[in-house]
Amino acid sequence: MGVELAAASQVPPEQRHRKGLQYPNPLAGNPSAKPRFAATVKRADGSMLTVADPVATRTIVALMDMDATIGGAACHFGGPAALAELMSSIHGLMFAAPDWRQAYNFVNDAGHTENGVYALKGNYGFAGLTLKDLRAFRSVSSKLTGHGESHLFPEGVMVSNGPLGSSVPVAQGLALADRLADIDRTTVCVISDGAMMEGEAKEAVSAIPGLAAKGLCAPFVLVISDNNTKLSGRIDADAFSMEPYFASLAIQGWNVVKCDQGNDLQTAFTAVETAFAKAKADPKKPVALWAKTIKGFGVEKTIKSASGGHGFPLSKGDELRAFVVEINAGKPLNADFESWCTEIETTWAAKQEKAKAAPSSAVPVPKKDKIQSGFPKAMIAAADKGLPVVSVSADLQGSTGVAPFRAKFPQFSIEVGVAEANMVSTAAGYSKMGYIPVVDTFVQFGVTKGLLPICMAALSQSAVIAAFTHTGFQDAADGASHQGLMYLAMSGSIPHVQQYCPATAEEAEWAMGFAIQRFADERKAGKHPDTVLFFCGRENFPVSLRPEGQQYAWGKAMVLADTTAGKATSVVISANGAMVASAVKAVEKLAAEGIGAILLNNATPNHPDLAAHRAALATCGDRLVTVEDHQAVGGAGAMLVTALVQQGVAPKLRLLGVQGEFGQSAYTADELYKKHGIGVDGIIAAAKALR
């Protein structure tokens, strides 16, 4: 790839430019052996080729997922189960090349299937992966993150994936670059039908054949897993059929190879081999392999599930054996799988015994719930009052919490498919026509894919309300691609946009209700309401942290704790959202050590309550700790301190946040809080440092 830099002076400038810069390729070379669990397929020339056994792939995925589930992480089964035969075929052909890296680029845009790719590569021993390595999947100690991430596993992942549809344009760039460098390499990109709904994917799908026709693209193969299923259910039932779009690929310039039985290994292999051959024979005509697959294939329960077993359907270790036996069609498990399954069963049984033996606490445990559970309650109450609330979703309504509203008011709910930008813009249209639209998705997708539409909505006086969940490390298991750590910085400076980070379900319900009513009141008064972006975590938190006698007030930082009385030293702790619960624990521990604190819930980061902070700082000697599940740059702390300094207050400061790094997978957010110094211990250490 490219020209050696040392010899660059001997090469004409035009040729140096065409070849690009040379740098070491971190990807591992061909596996040194055939897959440990193998199957054979017949090639077009009649010869036989050994490939990874897709049944073994599904078995390994189930075992990996169960290990991670016991650890506390969410996982996926349906997608990798659907793609097992196609992935076996693709990698079998790639690894048959003398050096697969010179012959192929491989990009996985079906982000929820990366565990299937890990399973397959572990089967080969690719990049040194072993079955033991697979057992740490999604843990904080593993490079095998929830979605493929090249910053942690560069020898095994070329292009990071996760946000659906985002890797197809990158694959396009790889093929264009290969053509510019005169490298005859085939780019293979695998994508799901849900991801094909994304605007990024559709842009690239339109561009690739047009650019290829001009001779600007190296051979390109797009492999589409079409199972008519997304997270919230069947695509055609919940949103709209993708069949017409797939049928249009030929008109758009793609050479379409159809595979009606994508879960039959030989059929899938023949289709993949045909697609590769056609792309190589005519690079000016990229190939789309349109394969019909079954999400959750291998287990009847997941096949019949509305989501195709999108997540991992098991929560108990003693359910695993029947699941993997069904995957293997009732046959005895291979010795390695039998041993692995037995270890999981033993671990699960020991965990259950430990839970039974644990002494019961006399201290009442506060009721907990997900913060987002408050949103639909307020939406339903507003609709019951006659306010024209509409829900506009992009497949994640079950995860973001708004599903109860949609269940009660289906006539006021629209599903645009996996397309966050389209979701926000559609909501802006509703807003312009007098409705109160509420959009929902994970924060990472809302602020990255939806930010320009949010800007345009504000510019068009078409305010929207957003419920953006899974903030920061709260989406622990999915890894860096899903961990929104920049959302406050990215959206806080947009005119006519207000941020709100509720810390509890009670606060979320109040704040959403307030935002909806204010929206209606301002519209009735002939004013243009601001857009409101709600940001919250995903894990369970106390339902309420509000001290008795206090009431919520928009723009006011509630004092959640004040332990300064009788303390020689005290500090102000300003937190928001998911970090408030951690700050409460830190305040309690600091008090036990003789250090007082005033804890403020800074719920409106881009419009902080300066009066409350100034009053608290005056009590605590201007000592301030800010903490957030966000990058330190441009976050709530940075916005607060900037505003304070402008008013002449320069606090002694410890600003806790992520220091310019991406995240990674972990079983729980607390593991990542500890690693990045923003958890309970980090807050305590920062407070002590200010004494």
Side-chain angles (χ1 to χ4, degrees):
M1 187 186 301
V3 178
E4 293 289 348
L5 294 179
S9 60
Q10 308 300 318
V11 181
E14 168 66 13
Q15 187 174 342
R16 290 205 304 270
H17 188 105
R18 290 184 64 85
K19 291 294 183 182
L21 300 174
Q22 177 76 23
Y23 69 95
N25 186 343
L27 286 169
N30 289 41
S32 59
K34 292 181 179 180
R36 188 172 178 180
F37 312 106
T40 56
V41 290
K42 181 180 288 188
R43 304 193 64 162
D45 63 6
S47 63
M48 304 302 291
L49 179 68
T50 299
V51 299
D53 181 6
V55 175
T57 296
R58 279 186 276 269
T59 303
I60 294 172
V61 166
L63 293 165
M64 290 168 61
D65 284 0
M66 192 75 255
D67 266 325
T69 298
I70 291 175
C75 298
H76 300 96
F77 178 77
L83 270 166
E85 283 75 16
L86 289 165
M87 287 293 193
S88 288
S89 302
I90 291 165
H91 285 81
L93 285 169
M94 290 197 307
F95 291 155
D99 183 348
W100 80 274
R101 298 168 300 181
Q102 297 302 315
Y104 297 95
N105 295 314
F106 175 74
V107 175
N108 180 28
D109 203 335
H112 296 132
T113 70
E114 194 68 23
N115 50 346
V117 180
Y118 293 150
L120 186 151
K121 290 177 177 176
N123 190 358
Y124 274 101
F126 177 83
L129 283 183
T130 66
L131 293 183
K132 183 178 179 180
D133 294 326
L134 298 177
R135 299 200 62 174
F137 172 58
R138 289 200 168 201
S139 74
V140 72
S141 63
S142 176
K143 60 188 177 184
L144 305 181
T145 52
H147 298 272
E149 292 170 12
S150 60
H151 76 296
L152 291 178
F153 190 24
E155 64 272 34
V157 178
M158 185 177 192
V159 174
S160 297
N161 64 59
L164 300 182
S166 63
S167 298
V168 179
V170 180
Q172 170 185 283
L174 297 175
L176 293 171
D178 275 346
R179 177 65 187 86
L180 182 61
D182 294 323
I183 298 174
D184 186 25
R185 178 163 42 209
T186 300
T187 293
V188 182
C189 182
V190 181
I191 192 169
S192 64
D193 47 356
M196 287 284 280
M197 304 176 89
E198 286 281 12
E200 292 173 276
K202 289 183 176 178
E203 289 175 11
V205 166
S206 295
I208 291 168
L211 295 169
K214 297 172 70 174
L216 298 176
C217 193
F220 195 101
V221 176
L222 182 68
V223 180
I224 304 165
S225 175
D226 176 15
N227 45 64
N228 189 36
T229 313
K230 54 188 180 64
L231 175 57
S232 63
R234 303 303 176 186
I235 291 176
D236 57 1
D238 284 1
F240 48 85
S241 174
M242 291 291 288
E243 289 286 320
Y245 180 69
F246 293 143
S248 76
L249 292 174
I251 299 173
Q252 294 186 62
W254 290 85
N255 188 345
V256 178
V257 174
K258 291 199 70 175
C259 175
D260 292 328
Q261 294 180 303
N263 292 115
D264 177 79
L265 180 57
Q266 183 60 57
T267 303
F269 177 82
T270 299
V272 171
E273 187 179 33
T274 300
F276 281 18
K278 286 180 177 291
K280 198 76 170 176
D282 185 7
K284 290 188 174 183
K285 193 84 168 177
V287 177
L289 171 52
W290 179 9
K292 292 288 187 178
T293 59
I294 300 172
K295 196 167 182 179
F297 187 80
V299 177
E300 185 178 3
K301 180 181 177 180
T302 54
I303 291 172
K304 291 182 177 180
S305 165
S307 67
H310 179 86
F312 189 54
L314 308 183
S315 59
K316 301 177 181 179
D318 54 12
E319 301 171 328
L320 177 63
R321 183 170 295 276
F323 194 83
V324 293
V325 165
E326 184 175 352
I327 290 172
N328 286 267
K331 299 176 183 177
L333 298 180
N334 172 280
D336 294 286
F337 298 156
E338 173 62 38
S339 174
W340 190 348
C341 185
T342 299
E343 285 186 43
I344 289 174
E345 290 171 327
T346 301
T347 300
W348 170 256
K351 184 177 181 180
Q352 297 308 108
E353 287 300 317
K354 184 177 180 181
K356 291 178 183 178
S360 58
S361 174
V363 179
V365 178
K367 184 179 179 182
K368 292 188 175 184
D369 198 357
K370 294 184 183 299
I371 296 172
Q372 61 256 40
S373 68
F375 294 144
K377 293 177 182 177
M379 294 165 65
I380 290 170
D384 283 340
K385 289 193 301 184
L387 295 179
V389 178
V390 294
S391 170
V392 186
S393 290
D395 188 38
L396 293 175
Q397 53 266 31
S399 298
T400 60
V402 303
F405 174 87
R406 298 174 66 87
K408 183 171 182 180
F409 296 108
Q411 70 275 32
F412 302 141
S413 304
I414 187 73
E415 163 70 64
V416 299
V418 187
E420 294 81 9
N422 188 28
M423 172 186 69
V424 176
S425 294
T426 298
Y430 273 107
S431 177
K432 201 72 175 179
M433 299 306 291
Y435 292 90
I436 305 174
V438 180
V439 301
D440 66 282
T441 187
F442 292 2
V443 66
Q444 177 74 325
F445 310 144
V447 298
T448 53
K449 300 191 177 192
L451 205 57
L452 178 58
I454 289 171
C455 290
M456 296 309 298
L459 188 59
S460 300
Q461 301 82 50
S462 300
V464 302
I465 297 174
F468 290 160
T469 65
H470 296 59
T471 51
F473 292 137
Q474 282 288 296
D475 196 357
D478 278 329
S481 66
H482 282 49
Q483 290 165 353
L485 294 170
M486 301 83 72
Y487 57 97
L488 297 176
M490 294 174 73
S491 61
S493 62
I494 304 173
H496 309 298
V497 168
Q498 297 187 28
Q499 301 172 327
Y500 198 106
C501 303
T504 66
E506 178 189 81
E507 185 180 5
E509 181 178 356
W510 172 84
M512 176 63 80
F514 180 91
I516 291 172
Q517 186 62 58
R518 184 176 63 179
F519 191 116
D521 293 343
E522 292 187 348
R523 278 287 194 224
K524 290 175 184 177
K527 299 177 182 179
H528 299 303
D530 284 350
T531 284
V532 177
L533 307 180
F534 288 104
F535 301 117
C536 71
R538 72 172 295 186
E539 295 177 3
N540 287 333
F541 295 88
V543 170
S544 176
L545 290 170
R546 178 171 55 91
E548 186 175 351
Q550 292 207 45
Q551 301 299 320
Y552 296 111
W554 193 280
K556 300 298 182 182
M558 183 179 288
V559 178
L560 298 180
D562 184 346
T563 60
T564 59
K567 302 294 194 302
T569 305
S570 57
V571 62
V572 176
I573 300 175
S574 181
N576 66 70
M579 300 311 303
V580 171
S582 295
V584 169
K585 295 178 182 178
V587 169
E588 293 171 353
K589 292 188 176 184
L590 285 167
E593 296 185 39
I595 301 172
I598 296 176
L599 172 59
L600 293 175
N601 178 12
N602 182 23
T604 54
N606 67 335
H607 295 288
D609 182 357
L610 299 182
H613 282 85
R614 290 186 65 170
L617 286 168
T619 300
C620 298
D622 283 341
R623 286 179 286 270
L624 174 64
V625 174
T626 68
V627 58
E628 56 197 305
D629 188 4
H630 187 278
Q631 294 290 346
V633 173
M639 288 188 279
L640 171 63
V641 172
T642 298
L644 287 171
V645 170
Q646 286 181 324
Q647 290 195 354
V649 179
K652 306 176 189 72
L653 177 68
R654 289 292 184 273
L655 196 156
L656 302 184
V658 182
Q659 301 298 321
E661 298 178 69
F662 287 111
Q664 66 180 88
S665 286
Y667 290 160
T668 66
D670 281 342
E671 293 176 295
L672 294 170
Y673 292 159
K674 182 176 181 179
K675 177 175 181 178
H676 291 271
I678 61 174
V680 175
D681 292 342
I683 297 170
I684 291 171
K688 289 181 176 179
L690 290 174
R691 283 188 293 178

